[in-house]
Amino acid sequence: MSDAQLEPARRSAGPYHHGALRAALIAGAREILRERGHDAFSLNELARRIGVSPAAAYRHFENREALLRAVSFEGYEELHAALTRPMAAGLDPGSRVIEIGVRYVAFSADNADLFLTMFRYRPIRPGETVTVDAFAPLMEAVGAAQATGQLPAGETRQIALVIWTSLHGLTVLYLNGALTALGLIESPYEAARTSLQIQFPGLKP
Amino acid sequence: MSDAQLEPARRSAGPYHHGALRAALIAGAREILRERGHDAFSLNELARRIGVSPAAAYRHFENREALLRAVSFEGYEELHAALTRPMAAGLDPGSRVIEIGVRYVAFSADNADLFLTMFRYRPIRPGETVTVDAFAPLMEAVGAAQATGQLPAGETRQIALVIWTSLHGLTVLYLNGALTALGLIESPYEAARTSLQIQFPGLKP
DNA sequence: ACCTGAACACCGTTCAAGT
DNA sequence: ACCTGAACACCGTTCAAGT
C-alpha cells in the first residue's frame, strides 16, 4: 500500500484529495463528534481541519445533514459488527441475549456522540437495511431463547422490541446524565444485565 | 385582571415588557419548539417574534442554553402534573402502573419537541427536584403493585427503573421514526401497554 | 471533475449607550 | 433596571471562476 492510500487526508501535498475527500470528510466528522460532542459539529470546522474550503464538501454531500447521515450509516455498520462478533463458545441462547444487550450498551457508551447521531440523523439513504440489519442479531437470539423456554412464547418481534426499547431507554437516559443525577445506577452494564433478568427471569442459564 | 397581565407579550404598546419579558421568552420559545422542531430553535427568531432586540434576552437568561433549561423546567412540572392527574376511580395498582406508562408516552407524543428538549437540556437549576418529582408517581404505583403481587418483589426503585427506561426507549425510538421505519409498531400507546404486559404478566388485573 | 474565493443571510453573544 | 444599536466571530450554503 502506498502512503496515499493509507492516509490520504493527512497529506498536505496539494489541494486535491484525489477522490478520497469524501472519506476524509466522514473520518474528520467523527473526530469532531468525539471531541466537541454531537450538538457542536460544524461543517466549517471540519473543512478547516482537513485543509479544504467549506464549499468543497458540497461536491460530495448535498448538505450538512447528508454528511451526518453518511456518518450515521457507518455507525450502524459498526454496531452490527459489534453485535455479531463471535461470543464465548457454548453460550446458551439466554446468555447470548444478555450478551447482545451488554454489547449494545457498551457500544453506545464507547461511541456516545456517534450513537446519538445515528438516531438523530438516520441513514435513509443509501439503504434503509442497515438499521434493519442491526436489529437482526437480537431477533435471532430471542428466537433461539424462546425455543429453549428461556424467553416466553409469542411473537418474536414483540419480545425483541421490548428488549431493544428497554436497553435503548436505559442507554440514552444514562448518556444524558438523567440516571446518575437521580442516583439510580452506577454501571450501565450491570444495569442492563439486571434489567433484562428482572423482565425475563428465565434468561438465567 | 388587566390586559397587560393576560397577554403581556402580545401588546406592542411599548418597548418594555414590565418584567414579564422572561415569561414571554419562555412561552415564545415553546412556540418555536413546536413549529420549527427542537434542533431549529433560534434565540434571534424568538426575539424577533416578541418584538424585542436579541440582547434583551440576556437580562433574563445567561445564554441560549439557560433559556432552554427554563423551558425544560416547565416541561418537567407539566409531565409531573400529567402523571398525577386523577385516574378512574377504583383502579387496581397494576392498572395504575399501566395508566402512568400510557400517560408518559402520550405526553411525549403530544409535546414531542418539549419532551426532547427536557432530556437534552436538563434543568440543573433552579432545583434538580423536578426530575425526581416526575419519577415519584411511578415509584408509588410500583410499590402498591408489588404489595398486591401484581409486580415481583424486590427493590421498588429497580422495578420502577426498568419500567421507566423501557417506556422511554419506546418513546424516543418512536419519536425519531426508528420503529415505524422498521414496521415494528403502529400506535405507541398500544405498544406501551403490550410491552408492560409482556415484561410483567401480573399487571393484568 | 474537483476545488477555491468571495459573497449571502443568519446565528449567539458582548458592550456601550439610551430611557 | 431594562432595553436598544451596533459590532464581533462564526455558521451553512451558493455560485462564478480557476485548474
Side-chain angles (χ1 to χ4, degrees):
Chain A
M1 274 196 197
S2 75
D3 279 4
Q5 279 176 305
L6 279 171
E7 295 202 60
R10 302 303 186 180
R11 292 168 33 112
S12 48
Y16 283 80
H17 279 264
H18 316 301
L21 178 54
R22 191 194 138 94
L25 285 167
I26 293 180
R30 296 186 60 165
E31 225 176 87
I32 296 183
L33 246 36
R34 267 200 310 277
E35 295 176 19
R36 293 260 196 283
H38 72 290
D39 339 270
F41 172 75
S42 151
L43 205 143
N44 284 25
E45 183 187 351
L46 172 58
R48 238 176 285 127
R49 283 196 189 202
I50 295 187
V52 91
S53 99
Y58 289 82
R59 278 289 136 185
H60 302 274
F61 300 99
E62 202 184 340
N63 51 25
R64 180 196 131 108
E65 192 184 319
L67 166 52
L68 287 172
R69 287 196 197 279
V71 169
S72 179
F73 186 87
E74 280 198 3
Y76 278 98
E77 289 181 320
E78 290 168 25
L79 172 61
H80 180 262
L83 298 184
T84 52
R85 208 179 42 209
M87 298 191 183
L91 229 51
D92 63 291
S95 300
R96 272 169 47 218
V97 169
I98 292 183
E99 174 67 16
I100 286 179
V102 172
R103 288 185 182 189
Y104 188 82
V105 172
F107 181 87
S108 72
D110 295 342
N111 310 276
D113 292 282
L114 174 62
F115 184 80
L116 293 171
T117 302
M118 284 162 62
F119 291 92
R120 218 132 108 55
Y121 302 95
R122 302 193 14 267
I124 308 175
R125 312 157 105 314
E128 184 72 62
T129 57
V130 274
T131 67
V132 179
D133 289 351
F135 189 58
L138 179 62
M139 281 283 284
E140 189 276 326
V142 165
Q146 284 181 299
T148 62
Q150 292 173 294
L151 280 177
E155 260 200 68
T156 302
R157 279 201 328 182
Q158 277 280 13
I159 313 279
L161 176 68
V162 170
I163 293 178
W164 178 32
T165 55
S166 115
L167 289 166
H168 190 78
L170 178 70
T171 282
V172 297
L173 287 173
Y174 173 75
L175 288 182
N176 69 28
L179 297 184
T180 45
L182 271 68
L184 283 174
I185 69 161
E186 351 62 71
S187 150
Y189 310 104
E190 259 330 295
R193 235 180 264 276
T194 61
S195 278
L196 286 176
Q197 284 169 349
I198 286 174
Q199 296 170 90
F200 303 107
L203 281 181
K204 275 227 148 116
Chain B
M1 273 193 194
S2 75
D3 281 3
Q5 280 174 306
L6 279 171
E7 293 203 61
R10 300 305 186 182
R11 289 166 38 108
S12 49
Y16 284 80
H17 278 263
H18 317 300
L21 179 54
R22 191 193 136 92
L25 285 166
I26 293 180
R30 295 186 59 166
E31 226 177 86
I32 296 182
L33 246 36
R34 266 200 309 276
E35 294 175 20
R36 293 259 196 282
H38 73 290
D39 344 86
F41 171 76
S42 150
L43 206 143
N44 284 25
E45 184 187 353
L46 172 58
R48 236 177 285 127
R49 282 194 189 203
I50 295 188
V52 91
S53 99
Y58 289 82
R59 279 288 135 184
H60 300 276
F61 298 99
E62 204 184 338
N63 50 28
R64 181 196 131 107
E65 191 184 320
L67 166 53
L68 287 172
R69 286 196 197 282
V71 170
S72 180
F73 187 87
E74 281 198 2
Y76 278 98
E77 289 182 319
E78 290 168 24
L79 173 60
H80 180 262
L83 298 184
T84 53
R85 210 179 41 210
M87 298 191 182
L91 228 54
D92 64 290
S95 300
R96 274 170 46 219
V97 169
I98 292 183
E99 175 67 17
I100 288 179
V102 172
R103 288 186 182 188
Y104 188 83
V105 172
F107 180 88
S108 72
D110 294 341
N111 310 276
D113 293 282
L114 174 61
F115 184 80
L116 294 171
T117 303
M118 285 162 62
F119 291 92
R120 218 132 107 57
Y121 301 95
R122 299 195 16 269
I124 308 175
R125 314 156 107 310
E128 183 72 62
T129 58
V130 276
T131 65
V132 180
D133 289 351
F135 189 58
L138 179 61
M139 281 283 284
E140 189 277 325
V142 166
Q146 284 182 298
T148 61
Q150 292 173 295
L151 280 177
E155 261 200 69
T156 302
R157 280 202 328 184
Q158 277 280 14
I159 313 281
L161 176 68
V162 170
I163 292 178
W164 178 32
T165 54
S166 118
L167 289 167
H168 190 78
L170 178 69
T171 282
V172 298
L173 287 173
Y174 173 74
L175 289 182
N176 69 27
L179 297 184
T180 45
L182 270 68
L184 282 174
I185 69 162
E186 352 62 70
S187 150
Y189 309 104
E190 259 330 293
R193 235 179 263 277
T194 60
S195 279
L196 286 176
Q197 285 169 350
I198 286 175
Q199 296 170 87
F200 303 107
L203 280 181
K204 274 229 148 116

